[in-house]
Coordinates of all heavy atoms in Angstrom, one line a residue:
M36 N -0.6 -12.4 -40.9 CA -1.2 -12.6 -39.7 C -1.7 -14.1 -39.6 O -2.3 -14.6 -40.5 CB -2.4 -11.7 -39.6 CG -2.2 -10.6 -38.6 SD -3.6 -9.4 -38.7 CE -4.3 -9.6 -37.1
S37 N -1.5 -14.7 -38.4 CA -1.9 -16.1 -38.3 C -3.3 -16.2 -37.5 O -3.8 -17.3 -37.3 CB -0.9 -16.8 -37.5 OG -0.7 -16.3 -36.2
D38 N -3.9 -15.0 -37.1 CA -5.1 -15.1 -36.4 C -6.2 -15.4 -37.4 O -6.3 -15.0 -38.5 CB -5.5 -13.7 -35.8 CG -4.6 -13.4 -34.6 OD1 -4.0 -14.4 -34.0 OD2 -4.4 -12.2 -34.2
V39 N -7.2 -16.2 -36.9 CA -8.3 -16.6 -37.7 C -9.4 -15.5 -37.5 O -9.8 -15.3 -36.3 CB -8.8 -18.0 -37.3 CG1 -10.1 -18.3 -38.1 CG2 -7.8 -19.0 -37.6
I40 N -9.9 -14.9 -38.6 CA -11.0 -13.9 -38.5 C -12.3 -14.7 -38.6 O -12.5 -15.4 -39.6 CB -10.8 -12.9 -39.5 CG1 -9.5 -12.1 -39.3 CG2 -12.0 -11.9 -39.5 CD1 -9.1 -11.1 -40.4
P41 N -13.2 -14.5 -37.6 CA -14.5 -15.2 -37.7 C -15.3 -14.7 -38.9 O -15.2 -13.6 -39.3 CB -15.1 -14.9 -36.4 CG -14.5 -13.6 -35.9 CD -13.1 -13.7 -36.4
I42 N -16.1 -15.6 -39.4 CA -17.0 -15.3 -40.5 C -18.4 -15.2 -40.0 O -18.9 -16.0 -39.2 CB -17.0 -16.4 -41.6 CG1 -15.6 -16.7 -42.0 CG2 -17.9 -16.1 -42.7 CD1 -14.9 -15.5 -42.8
N43 N -19.1 -14.1 -40.4 CA -20.5 -13.8 -40.0 C -21.4 -14.8 -40.7 O -21.0 -15.5 -41.7 CB -20.9 -12.4 -40.3 CG -20.3 -11.4 -39.4 OD1 -19.8 -11.8 -38.3 ND2 -20.2 -10.2 -39.8
V44 N -22.7 -14.9 -40.3 CA -23.6 -15.8 -40.9 C -23.8 -15.5 -42.4 O -24.0 -16.4 -43.2 CB -25.0 -15.7 -40.1 CG1 -26.0 -16.6 -40.7 CG2 -24.8 -16.0 -38.7
D45 N -23.8 -14.3 -42.8 CA -24.0 -13.9 -44.2 C -22.8 -14.1 -45.0 O -22.8 -13.8 -46.2 CB -24.5 -12.5 -44.3 CG -23.5 -11.5 -43.8 OD1 -22.5 -11.9 -43.2 OD2 -23.8 -10.3 -43.9
G46 N -21.7 -14.7 -44.4 CA -20.5 -15.0 -45.2 C -19.5 -13.9 -45.2 O -18.4 -14.0 -45.7
Q47 N -19.8 -12.7 -44.6 CA -18.8 -11.6 -44.5 C -17.9 -11.8 -43.3 O -18.4 -12.3 -42.3 CB -19.6 -10.3 -44.4 CG -20.5 -10.0 -45.6 CD -19.7 -9.9 -46.9 OE1 -18.6 -9.3 -46.9 NE2 -20.2 -10.4 -47.9
P48 N -16.6 -11.5 -43.5 CA -15.7 -11.7 -42.4 C -16.1 -10.7 -41.2 O -16.5 -9.6 -41.5 CB -14.3 -11.3 -42.9 CG -14.6 -10.7 -44.2 CD -16.0 -11.0 -44.7
G49 N -16.0 -11.2 -40.0 CA -16.4 -10.4 -38.9 C -15.2 -9.6 -38.4 O -14.7 -9.7 -37.2
L50 N -14.7 -8.7 -39.2 CA -13.5 -7.9 -38.9 C -13.7 -7.0 -37.7 O -12.9 -6.9 -36.8 CB -13.0 -7.1 -40.1 CG -11.7 -6.4 -39.9 CD1 -10.6 -7.3 -39.7 CD2 -11.4 -5.6 -41.2
F51 N -14.9 -6.4 -37.7 CA -15.2 -5.5 -36.6 C -15.4 -6.2 -35.3 O -15.0 -5.8 -34.2 CB -16.4 -4.6 -36.9 CG -16.1 -3.6 -38.0 CD1 -16.7 -3.7 -39.3 CD2 -15.2 -2.6 -37.8 CE1 -16.5 -2.8 -40.3 CE2 -14.9 -1.7 -38.9 CZ -15.6 -1.8 -40.1
L52 N -16.0 -7.4 -35.4 CA -16.2 -8.2 -34.2 C -14.8 -8.7 -33.7 O -14.6 -8.6 -32.5 CB -17.1 -9.4 -34.6 CG -17.3 -10.4 -33.4 CD1 -18.1 -9.7 -32.3 CD2 -18.1 -11.6 -34.0
H53 N -14.0 -9.1 -34.6 CA -12.6 -9.5 -34.2 C -11.9 -8.3 -33.5 O -11.2 -8.5 -32.5 CB -11.9 -10.0 -35.4 CG -10.5 -10.4 -35.1 ND1 -10.2 -11.5 -34.3 CD2 -9.3 -9.9 -35.5 CE1 -8.9 -11.6 -34.2 NE2 -8.3 -10.7 -34.9
A54 N -11.9 -7.1 -34.1 CA -11.3 -6.0 -33.6 C -11.8 -5.6 -32.2 O -11.1 -5.3 -31.3 CB -11.4 -4.8 -34.6
R55 N -13.2 -5.7 -32.1 CA -13.8 -5.3 -30.8 C -13.4 -6.3 -29.7 O -13.1 -5.9 -28.6 CB -15.3 -5.4 -31.0 CG -16.1 -4.8 -29.8 CD -17.6 -4.8 -30.0 NE -18.0 -4.2 -31.3 CZ -19.0 -4.6 -32.0 NH1 -19.7 -5.7 -31.7 NH2 -19.3 -4.0 -33.2
R56 N -13.3 -7.6 -30.0 CA -12.8 -8.6 -29.0 C -11.4 -8.3 -28.7 O -11.0 -8.4 -27.5 CB -13.0 -10.0 -29.6 CG -14.4 -10.4 -29.6 CD -14.6 -11.8 -30.1 NE -16.0 -12.2 -30.1 CZ -16.4 -13.3 -30.8 NH1 -15.5 -14.0 -31.5 NH2 -17.7 -13.6 -30.8
T57 N -10.5 -8.0 -29.6 CA -9.1 -7.7 -29.3 C -9.0 -6.5 -28.4 O -8.2 -6.5 -27.5 CB -8.4 -7.5 -30.7 OG1 -8.5 -8.7 -31.5 CG2 -6.9 -7.3 -30.4
I58 N -9.7 -5.5 -28.7 CA -9.7 -4.3 -27.9 C -10.2 -4.6 -26.5 O -9.6 -4.1 -25.5 CB -10.5 -3.1 -28.6 CG1 -9.7 -2.7 -29.9 CG2 -10.7 -2.0 -27.6 CD1 -10.5 -1.7 -30.7
A59 N -11.3 -5.3 -26.4 CA -11.8 -5.7 -25.1 C -10.8 -6.5 -24.3 O -10.6 -6.2 -23.1 CB -13.1 -6.5 -25.3
D60 N -10.1 -7.4 -25.0 CA -9.0 -8.2 -24.3 C -7.9 -7.2 -23.8 O -7.4 -7.4 -22.7 CB -8.5 -9.2 -25.2 CG -9.5 -10.4 -25.5 OD1 -10.4 -10.5 -24.7 OD2 -9.2 -11.1 -26.4
L61 N -7.5 -6.3 -24.6 CA -6.4 -5.4 -24.2 C -6.9 -4.5 -23.1 O -6.1 -4.2 -22.1 CB -6.0 -4.5 -25.4 CG -5.2 -5.2 -26.5 CD1 -5.0 -4.3 -27.7 CD2 -3.9 -5.7 -26.0
V62 N -8.1 -4.0 -23.1 CA -8.6 -3.2 -22.0 C -8.7 -4.0 -20.7 O -8.3 -3.5 -19.6 CB -10.0 -2.6 -22.4 CG1 -10.7 -2.0 -21.2 CG2 -9.9 -1.6 -23.5
E63 N -9.1 -5.2 -20.8 CA -9.2 -6.0 -19.6 C -7.8 -6.3 -19.0 O -7.5 -6.2 -17.8 CB -9.9 -7.4 -19.9 CG -10.0 -8.3 -18.7 CD -10.8 -7.7 -17.6 OE1 -11.7 -7.0 -17.9 OE2 -10.5 -8.1 -16.4
C64 N -6.8 -6.6 -19.9 CA -5.4 -6.8 -19.5 C -4.9 -5.5 -18.8 O -4.2 -5.6 -17.8 CB -4.6 -7.2 -20.6 SG -2.9 -7.5 -20.2
G65 N -5.2 -4.3 -19.4 CA -4.7 -3.1 -18.8 C -5.3 -2.8 -17.5 O -4.6 -2.4 -16.5
R66 N -6.6 -3.1 -17.3 CA -7.3 -2.9 -16.0 C -6.6 -3.8 -14.9 O -6.4 -3.4 -13.8 CB -8.8 -3.2 -16.1 CG -9.5 -2.1 -16.8 CD -11.0 -2.4 -16.8 NE -11.7 -1.3 -17.5 CZ -12.8 -1.4 -18.1 NH1 -13.4 -2.6 -18.1 NH2 -13.4 -0.4 -18.7
R67 N -6.4 -5.1 -15.3 CA -5.7 -6.0 -14.4 C -4.4 -5.5 -14.0 O -4.0 -5.5 -12.8 CB -5.6 -7.4 -15.1 CG -5.3 -8.5 -14.2 CD -5.4 -9.9 -14.9 NE -6.3 -9.8 -16.0 CZ -6.1 -10.3 -17.2 NH1 -5.0 -10.9 -17.4 NH2 -7.0 -10.2 -18.1
E68 N -3.6 -5.0 -14.9 CA -2.2 -4.5 -14.6 C -2.3 -3.3 -13.7 O -1.5 -3.2 -12.8 CB -1.4 -4.2 -15.9 CG -1.1 -5.5 -16.7 CD -0.2 -6.4 -15.9 OE1 0.7 -6.0 -15.2 OE2 -0.4 -7.6 -16.0
L69 N -3.2 -2.4 -14.0 CA -3.4 -1.2 -13.2 C -3.8 -1.6 -11.8 O -3.4 -1.0 -10.8 CB -4.4 -0.3 -13.8 CG -3.9 0.6 -14.9 CD1 -5.1 1.4 -15.5 CD2 -2.8 1.5 -14.5
C70 N -4.7 -2.6 -11.6 CA -5.1 -3.1 -10.3 C -3.9 -3.6 -9.5 O -3.7 -3.3 -8.3 CB -6.2 -4.1 -10.5 SG -6.8 -4.7 -8.9
L71 N -3.0 -4.4 -10.2 CA -1.9 -4.9 -9.5 C -0.9 -3.8 -9.1 O -0.3 -3.9 -8.0 CB -1.2 -5.9 -10.5 CG -1.9 -7.2 -10.7 CD1 -1.2 -8.1 -11.8 CD2 -2.0 -8.0 -9.4
I72 N -0.7 -2.8 -10.0 CA 0.2 -1.7 -9.7 C -0.4 -0.9 -8.5 O 0.4 -0.6 -7.6 CB 0.4 -0.8 -10.9 CG1 1.2 -1.5 -11.9 CG2 1.0 0.5 -10.5 CD1 1.3 -0.8 -13.3
D73 N -1.7 -0.7 -8.5 CA -2.3 0.0 -7.4 C -2.1 -0.8 -6.1 O -1.8 -0.2 -5.0 CB -3.8 0.2 -7.7 CG -4.5 1.0 -6.6 OD1 -4.0 2.1 -6.2 OD2 -5.5 0.5 -6.0
A74 N -2.3 -2.1 -6.1 CA -2.2 -2.9 -4.9 C -0.7 -2.8 -4.4 O -0.5 -2.7 -3.2 CB -2.6 -4.3 -5.2
R75 N 0.2 -2.8 -5.3 CA 1.6 -2.8 -4.9 C 2.0 -1.4 -4.3 O 2.6 -1.4 -3.2 CB 2.5 -3.0 -6.1 CG 4.0 -2.9 -5.9 CD 4.5 -4.1 -5.0 NE 5.9 -3.9 -4.8 CZ 6.5 -4.3 -3.7 NH1 5.9 -4.9 -2.8 NH2 7.8 -4.2 -3.6
W76 N 1.5 -0.3 -4.8 CA 1.7 1.0 -4.3 C 1.1 1.1 -2.9 O 1.6 1.7 -2.0 CB 1.2 2.1 -5.2 CG 2.1 2.4 -6.3 CD1 2.1 2.1 -7.6 CD2 3.3 3.2 -6.2 NE1 3.1 2.6 -8.3 CE2 3.9 3.3 -7.4 CE3 4.0 3.8 -5.1 CZ2 5.1 3.9 -7.6 CZ3 5.2 4.5 -5.3 CH2 5.7 4.5 -6.6
R77 N -0.1 0.6 -2.8 CA -0.8 0.6 -1.5 C -0.1 -0.2 -0.4 O 0.0 0.2 0.7 CB -2.3 0.2 -1.6 CG -3.1 1.2 -2.3 CD -4.6 0.6 -2.5 NE -5.4 1.4 -3.3 CZ -6.1 2.4 -2.9 NH1 -6.2 2.6 -1.6 NH2 -6.8 3.1 -3.8
T78 N 0.5 -1.3 -0.8 CA 1.2 -2.1 0.1 C 2.5 -1.4 0.5 O 2.8 -1.4 1.7 CB 1.6 -3.5 -0.6 OG1 0.4 -4.2 -0.9 CG2 2.4 -4.4 0.4
L79 N 3.2 -0.8 -0.4 CA 4.4 -0.1 0.0 C 4.1 1.1 0.8 O 4.9 1.5 1.7 CB 5.1 0.4 -1.3 CG 5.8 -0.7 -2.1 CD1 6.4 -0.2 -3.4 CD2 6.9 -1.4 -1.3
A80 N 3.0 1.8 0.6 CA 2.6 2.9 1.4 C 2.2 2.5 2.8 O 2.5 3.2 3.8 CB 1.5 3.7 0.8
A81 N 1.5 1.4 3.0 CA 1.1 0.9 4.3 C 2.2 0.3 5.1 O 2.2 0.5 6.3 CB -0.1 -0.1 4.1
E82 N 3.1 -0.4 4.4 CA 4.2 -1.1 5.1 C 5.5 -0.7 4.5 O 6.0 -1.4 3.7 CB 4.0 -2.6 5.0 CG 2.7 -3.1 5.7 CD 2.5 -4.6 5.4 OE1 3.4 -5.2 4.9 OE2 1.4 -5.0 5.7
P83 N 6.0 0.5 4.9 CA 7.3 0.9 4.3 C 8.4 -0.1 4.7 O 8.3 -0.7 5.7 CB 7.5 2.3 4.8 CG 6.7 2.4 6.1 CD 5.5 1.4 5.8
E84 N 9.4 -0.2 3.9 CA 10.5 -1.1 4.2 C 11.2 -0.7 5.5 O 11.5 0.5 5.7 CB 11.5 -1.1 3.0 CG 10.9 -1.6 1.7 CD 11.9 -1.6 0.6 OE1 13.1 -1.6 0.9 OE2 11.4 -1.6 -0.5
E85 N 11.4 -1.6 6.3 CA 12.0 -1.4 7.6 C 13.5 -1.7 7.5 O 13.9 -2.6 6.7 CB 11.3 -2.2 8.7 CG 9.9 -1.8 8.9 CD 9.3 -2.6 10.0 OE1 9.9 -3.5 10.6 OE2 8.1 -2.4 10.3
G86 N 14.3 -1.1 8.4 CA 15.7 -1.4 8.4 C 16.5 -0.4 7.5 O 15.9 0.4 6.8
A87 N 17.8 -0.6 7.6 CA 18.6 0.3 6.8 C 18.9 -0.3 5.4 O 18.9 -1.5 5.2 CB 20.0 0.5 7.6
A88 N 19.1 0.6 4.5 CA 19.4 0.2 3.2 C 20.9 -0.2 3.1 O 21.6 -0.1 4.1 CB 19.2 1.4 2.2
T89 N 21.4 -0.7 2.0 CA 22.7 -1.1 1.9 C 23.7 -0.1 2.2 O 24.7 -0.3 3.0 CB 23.0 -1.7 0.5 OG1 22.0 -2.7 0.2 CG2 24.3 -2.3 0.4
A90 N 23.5 1.1 1.8 CA 24.5 2.2 2.1 C 24.5 2.5 3.6 O 25.5 2.8 4.2 CB 24.1 3.5 1.3
E91 N 23.3 2.5 4.2 CA 23.2 2.7 5.6 C 23.9 1.6 6.4 O 24.5 1.9 7.4 CB 21.7 2.9 6.0 CG 21.1 4.2 5.5 CD 19.6 4.2 5.7 OE1 19.0 3.1 5.8 OE2 19.1 5.3 5.7
Y92 N 23.8 0.4 6.0 CA 24.5 -0.7 6.6 C 26.0 -0.5 6.5 O 26.7 -0.7 7.5 CB 24.2 -2.0 5.9 CG 22.9 -2.7 6.4 CD1 21.9 -2.9 5.5 CD2 22.6 -3.0 7.7 CE1 20.7 -3.5 5.9 CE2 21.4 -3.5 8.1 CZ 20.5 -3.8 7.2 OH 19.3 -4.3 7.6
A93 N 26.5 0.0 5.4 CA 27.9 0.2 5.3 C 28.4 1.3 6.2 O 29.4 1.2 6.9 CB 28.2 0.6 3.8
V94 N 27.6 2.4 6.4 CA 27.9 3.5 7.3 C 28.0 3.0 8.7 O 28.9 3.3 9.5 CB 27.0 4.7 7.1 CG1 27.2 5.7 8.2 CG2 27.2 5.3 5.7
V95 N 26.9 2.2 9.1 CA 26.9 1.7 10.4 C 28.0 0.7 10.7 O 28.7 0.7 11.8 CB 25.5 0.9 10.7 CG1 25.5 0.1 11.9 CG2 24.4 1.9 10.7
L96 N 28.4 -0.1 9.7 CA 29.5 -1.0 9.9 C 30.8 -0.3 10.0 O 31.7 -0.6 10.9 CB 29.6 -1.9 8.6 CG 30.6 -3.1 8.7 CD1 30.4 -4.0 9.8 CD2 30.6 -3.8 7.4
I97 N 31.0 0.8 9.3 CA 32.3 1.6 9.4 C 32.3 2.2 10.8 O 33.4 2.3 11.4 CB 32.4 2.6 8.3 CG1 32.6 1.9 6.9 CG2 33.5 3.6 8.5 CD1 32.5 2.8 5.7
A98 N 31.2 2.8 11.2 CA 31.2 3.4 12.5 C 31.4 2.4 13.7 O 32.2 2.7 14.6 CB 29.8 4.1 12.8
A99 N 30.9 1.2 13.6 CA 31.1 0.2 14.6 C 32.6 -0.2 14.6 O 33.2 -0.4 15.7 CB 30.2 -1.0 14.4
T100 N 33.1 -0.4 13.4 CA 34.5 -0.8 13.3 C 35.4 0.3 13.9 O 36.4 0.0 14.6 CB 34.9 -1.1 11.9 OG1 34.0 -2.0 11.3 CG2 36.3 -1.6 11.7
S101 N 35.1 1.5 13.6 CA 35.9 2.6 14.1 C 35.8 2.7 15.7 O 36.8 2.9 16.4 CB 35.5 4.0 13.6 OG 35.6 4.0 12.2
F102 N 34.6 2.5 16.2 CA 34.4 2.5 17.6 C 35.2 1.4 18.3 O 35.9 1.5 19.3 CB 33.0 2.4 18.0 CG 32.6 2.5 19.4 CD1 32.8 3.7 20.1 CD2 32.2 1.4 20.1 CE1 32.5 3.8 21.4 CE2 31.9 1.5 21.5 CZ 32.1 2.7 22.1
A103 N 35.2 0.2 17.7 CA 35.9 -1.0 18.2 C 37.4 -0.7 18.2 O 38.2 -1.0 19.1 CB 35.6 -2.2 17.4
A104 N 37.9 -0.1 17.1 CA 39.4 0.3 17.0 C 39.8 1.2 18.1 O 40.8 1.1 18.7 CB 39.7 0.9 15.6
V105 N 38.9 2.2 18.4 CA 39.2 3.2 19.5 C 39.2 2.5 20.8 O 40.1 2.7 21.6 CB 38.2 4.3 19.4 CG1 38.3 5.2 20.7 CG2 38.4 5.2 18.2
L106 N 38.3 1.6 21.0 CA 38.3 0.9 22.3 C 39.5 0.0 22.5 O 40.1 -0.1 23.6 CB 37.0 0.0 22.4 CG 35.7 0.7 22.7 CD1 34.5 -0.2 22.7 CD2 35.8 1.4 24.0
I107 N 39.9 -0.7 21.4 CA 41.1 -1.5 21.5 C 42.3 -0.7 21.8 O 43.2 -1.0 22.6 CB 41.3 -2.3 20.2 CG1 40.2 -3.4 20.1 CG2 42.7 -3.0 20.1 CD1 40.2 -4.2 18.8
A108 N 42.4 0.5 21.1 CA 43.6 1.4 21.4 C 43.6 1.8 22.8 O 44.6 1.9 23.5 CB 43.5 2.6 20.5
I109 N 42.4 2.1 23.4 CA 42.3 2.6 24.8 C 42.7 1.4 25.7 O 43.5 1.6 26.7 CB 40.9 3.1 25.1 CG1 40.7 4.4 24.4 CG2 40.7 3.3 26.6 CD1 39.2 4.9 24.5
V110 N 42.2 0.2 25.5 CA 42.5 -0.9 26.4 C 44.0 -1.3 26.3 O 44.5 -1.7 27.3 CB 41.6 -2.1 26.0 CG1 42.0 -3.3 26.7 CG2 40.1 -1.8 26.4
K111 N 44.6 -1.1 25.2 CA 46.0 -1.5 25.0 C 47.0 -0.4 25.6 O 48.1 -0.7 25.8 CB 46.4 -1.7 23.6 CG 45.9 -3.0 23.0 CD 46.4 -3.2 21.6 CE 46.1 -4.6 21.1 NZ 46.6 -4.8 19.8
S112 N 46.4 0.7 26.0 CA 47.3 1.8 26.6 C 47.8 1.3 28.0 O 47.2 0.5 28.7 CB 46.6 3.1 26.7 OG 45.5 3.0 27.7
D113 N 49.0 1.8 28.4 CA 49.6 1.4 29.6 C 48.8 1.7 30.8 O 48.7 0.9 31.8 CB 51.0 2.0 29.7 CG 52.0 1.5 28.7 OD1 51.8 0.3 28.3 OD2 52.9 2.2 28.3
G114 N 48.2 2.9 30.9 CA 47.4 3.3 32.0 C 46.2 2.4 32.3 O 45.9 2.0 33.4
I115 N 45.5 2.0 31.2 CA 44.4 1.1 31.3 C 44.8 -0.3 31.7 O 44.1 -0.9 32.5 CB 43.5 1.2 30.0 CG1 43.0 2.6 29.7 CG2 42.4 0.2 30.1 CD1 42.1 3.1 30.7
K116 N 45.9 -0.7 31.1 CA 46.4 -2.1 31.4 C 46.7 -2.1 32.9 O 46.4 -3.1 33.6 CB 47.7 -2.4 30.6 CG 47.4 -2.9 29.2 CD 48.7 -3.3 28.6 CE 48.5 -3.7 27.2 NZ 49.8 -4.0 26.5
T117 N 47.4 -1.1 33.5 CA 47.7 -1.1 34.9 C 46.4 -1.1 35.7 O 46.3 -1.8 36.7 CB 48.6 0.1 35.2 OG1 49.7 0.1 34.3 CG2 49.0 0.1 36.6
L118 N 45.5 -0.3 35.3 CA 44.2 -0.2 36.1 C 43.4 -1.5 36.1 O 43.0 -2.0 37.1 CB 43.3 0.9 35.5 CG 42.0 1.1 36.1 CD1 42.1 1.6 37.5 CD2 41.2 2.1 35.2
L119 N 43.3 -2.1 34.9 CA 42.6 -3.4 34.8 C 43.4 -4.5 35.6 O 42.7 -5.4 36.2 CB 42.5 -3.8 33.3 CG 41.5 -3.0 32.5 CD1 41.5 -3.4 31.0 CD2 40.1 -3.1 33.1
T120 N 44.7 -4.5 35.5 CA 45.5 -5.5 36.2 C 45.3 -5.4 37.7 O 45.1 -6.4 38.4 CB 47.0 -5.4 35.9 OG1 47.1 -5.5 34.5 CG2 47.8 -6.5 36.6
S121 N 45.2 -4.1 38.2 CA 45.1 -3.9 39.7 C 43.6 -4.3 40.1 O 43.4 -4.9 41.2 CB 45.3 -2.5 40.0 OG 44.4 -1.6 39.4
I122 N 42.6 -4.1 39.2 CA 41.3 -4.5 39.6 C 41.2 -6.0 39.6 O 40.5 -6.6 40.6 CB 40.3 -3.9 38.5 CG1 40.2 -2.4 38.6 CG2 38.9 -4.6 38.7 CD1 39.4 -1.8 37.5
V123 N 41.8 -6.7 38.7 CA 41.8 -8.2 38.7 C 42.5 -8.7 39.9 O 42.0 -9.6 40.6 CB 42.3 -8.7 37.4 CG1 42.5 -10.2 37.5 CG2 41.5 -8.4 36.2
K124 N 43.6 -8.1 40.3 CA 44.4 -8.6 41.5 C 43.6 -8.4 42.7 O 43.5 -9.3 43.6 CB 45.7 -7.9 41.6 CG 46.8 -8.4 40.6 CD 48.1 -7.6 40.8 CE 49.1 -8.1 39.7 NZ 50.4 -7.4 39.9
K125 N 42.9 -7.3 42.9 CA 42.1 -7.0 44.0 C 40.9 -8.0 44.1 O 40.6 -8.5 45.2 CB 41.6 -5.6 44.0 CG 42.6 -4.5 44.4 CD 42.0 -3.1 44.3 CE 43.0 -2.1 44.5 NZ 42.5 -0.7 44.4
A126 N 40.3 -8.3 43.0 CA 39.2 -9.2 42.9 C 39.7 -10.6 43.3 O 39.0 -11.4 44.1 CB 38.6 -9.3 41.6
L127 N 40.9 -11.0 42.9 CA 41.4 -12.4 43.2 C 41.8 -12.4 44.7 O 41.7 -13.5 45.4 CB 42.6 -12.7 42.3 CG 42.2 -13.0 40.9 CD1 43.5 -13.2 40.0 CD2 41.3 -14.2 40.7
N128 N 42.4 -11.4 45.2 CA 42.8 -11.3 46.6 C 41.6 -11.3 47.6 O 41.6 -11.8 48.7 CB 43.7 -10.1 46.9 CG 45.0 -10.3 46.3 OD1 45.5 -11.4 46.0 ND2 45.7 -9.2 46.0
A129 N 40.5 -10.7 47.1 CA 39.3 -10.6 48.0 C 38.6 -12.0 48.1 O 38.0 -12.3 49.1 CB 38.3 -9.6 47.4
G130 N 38.7 -12.8 47.1 CA 38.0 -14.1 47.1 C 38.8 -15.1 47.8 O 38.8 -15.8 48.7

């Protein structure tokens, strides 16, 4: 051990004093850590994380891509092309 053990006035090593100080330091460190953990839990409880998690983002992205693919398929169909073309022609003739 490299720790220096203090010597009492009568020349006897203060082993119990040293042990008591070490235990007090450990207790203080433990209290500090518990306080930090408690603060973190209270923060998480008061302000839960907002927004979707990564898996939820993936599901939303897949749904949006699927919806876009369906819309593109509908717009590319012959009936919709004819309808949109006639609407544009009427708008240009009206102006």
Side-chain angles (χ1 to χ4, degrees):
M36 249 173 118
S37 64
D38 289 339
V39 176
I40 298 174
I42 304 295
N43 290 339
V44 177
D45 60 357
Q47 299 297 319
L50 185 60
F51 291 113
L52 179 64
H53 177 68
R55 189 178 309 141
R56 285 182 184 162
T57 303
I58 290 172
D60 290 343
L61 289 173
V62 167
E63 180 62 31
C64 182
R66 285 185 181 152
R67 193 173 333 134
E68 292 299 320
L69 282 175
C70 184
L71 291 174
I72 290 171
D73 180 55
R75 178 68 178 148
W76 276 105
R77 288 177 189 267
T78 302
L79 288 175
E82 300 172 10
E84 295 179 21
E85 295 179 2
T89 304
E91 291 169 335
Y92 279 121
V94 170
V95 169
L96 185 61
I97 290 170
T100 305
S101 302
F102 185 69
V105 169
L106 285 178
I107 289 173
I109 290 172
V110 170
K111 284 187 173 183
S112 67
D113 290 332
I115 299 296
K116 278 185 184 179
T117 305
L118 179 66
L119 290 175
T120 304
S121 66
I122 291 173
V123 170
K124 283 182 182 179
K125 286 181 185 177
L127 289 175
N128 288 338

